[in-house]
Amino acid sequence: MLYKAIKEFCEQYSEFLFKRFSSDNAIDYWQMESGTIRQKTVYAKEDILVFPEMYPDIDINLLIETFMQSDEKLLIIRGEPGVGKTHFMRYIMRNEALKSIAYAKDPKVIASDTFWSNLIEHEYDLLCLDDLDYGLSPRGSNDKEGDSMVGNILTFTDGIYSHQTKVIITTNQPINTIDTALIRTGRCFDFLELHPLNLSEAQEIWKDVFNLDNIFPEELLSYQTISQADLILHYNNALYGRKSRPYMKKDEQKNLSINDVVSAA
């Protein structure tokens, strides 16, 4: 139910965001199907909930430029759920300087030697490994699949290899739980920690990015920090209101917002 509500919001909001962040960057999405690693082509502009203003402390375009020119091959983006790690990565995917991009999130794919052989053959500009919320721990503390993931990433990002592919990882894992070889100088460009917004940052986005002159959500005024996900969910309520559900028998269930769905999840 939550997925359906968010999907409806995304479809309704797509036209505005496509105008803001249009890009036709093709992405090779690697996934496991029936035990076989397969690749399909998707496009960066299919992801629409991307706001660079959601990250007020970071000049994302300068980050991309500096990372792509550096000798290090790995960038790790870490943050708690809701701070927009995947959206941050997908904004990077839209950069016009990136002509070839690979994307994977299935641990079975990332642990496979076949996947990494294909990457070397294709010579991508950028490899995005999304939601690696386990498997980055020190080798020997993971299961076999996790150890294979870390080993493959280390081999691919070693400076002795001639390929120029850069790698971005998003994760919830704190830095002190990650294999130290992944974050060593010479391999890791940066371990970038994303944070929730403070109230003033959220209010500025509400007015200047969402272009909403109506009152800022009262519920959020009591928050010390506001996640990017919370702000977008309240934006959806403000823009589209509460969903009518006349088929529900209880009065309190006849109108439902996306926040109600999240609270019940």
Side-chain angles (χ1 to χ4, degrees), residues 9 13 23 45 51-52 63 73 80 96 98 101 108 113 134 141 147 175 188-189 226 263:
F9 165 53
Y13 196 43
S23 171
K45 69 181 181 182
F51 298 98
L63 170 70
K73 289 189 167 72
E80 296 299 320
E96 294 179 354
L98 301 172
I101 303 171
K108 295 185 183 301
D113 292 339
Y134 86 100
S141 62
D147 281 352
I175 191 170
C188 186
F189 170 76
I226 300 170
S263 298

Side-chain angles (χ1 to χ4, degrees), residues 68-124:
M68 297 306 292
Q69 293 176 356
S70 71
D71 294 329
E72 295 90 351
K73 289 189 167 72
L74 179 62
L75 169 63
I76 300 176
I77 300 171
R78 191 267 167 186
E80 296 299 320
V83 298
K85 299 182 297 295
T86 295
H87 293 157
F88 189 96
M89 173 189 282
R90 293 179 182 175
Y91 180 82
I92 291 176
M93 289 179 180
R94 299 174 184 276
N95 189 276
E96 294 179 354
L98 301 172
K99 304 304 181 185
S100 57
I101 303 171
Y103 176 93
K105 62 186 301 180
D106 187 335
K108 295 185 183 301
V109 171
I110 300 168
S112 167
D113 292 339
T114 302
F115 169 64
W116 296 94
S117 297
N118 281 317
L119 294 179
I120 293 174
E121 179 182 343
H122 281 76
E123 296 186 355
Y124 292 103

Side-chain angles (χ1 to χ4, degrees), residues 19-88:
K19 290 179 180 178
R20 285 177 59 88
F21 305 113
S22 60
S23 171
D24 292 323
N25 283 4
I27 299 169
D28 284 353
Y29 183 10
W30 294 86
Q31 56 189 338
M32 189 74 72
E33 293 182 358
S34 302
T36 301
I37 295 176
R38 302 186 186 278
Q39 170 265 321
K40 68 176 182 180
T41 300
V42 297
Y43 291 89
K45 69 181 181 182
E46 291 181 357
D47 179 75
I48 57 178
L49 288 175
V50 179
F51 298 98
E53 294 89 347
M54 288 287 193
Y55 315 96
D57 295 333
I58 304 169
D59 185 330
I60 304 180
N61 291 324
L62 182 58
L63 170 70
I64 299 169
E65 179 183 349
T66 309
F67 178 42
M68 297 306 292
Q69 293 176 356
S70 71
D71 294 329
E72 295 90 351
K73 289 189 167 72
L74 179 62
L75 169 63
I76 300 176
I77 300 171
R78 191 267 167 186
E80 296 299 320
V83 298
K85 299 182 297 295
T86 295
H87 293 157
F88 189 96

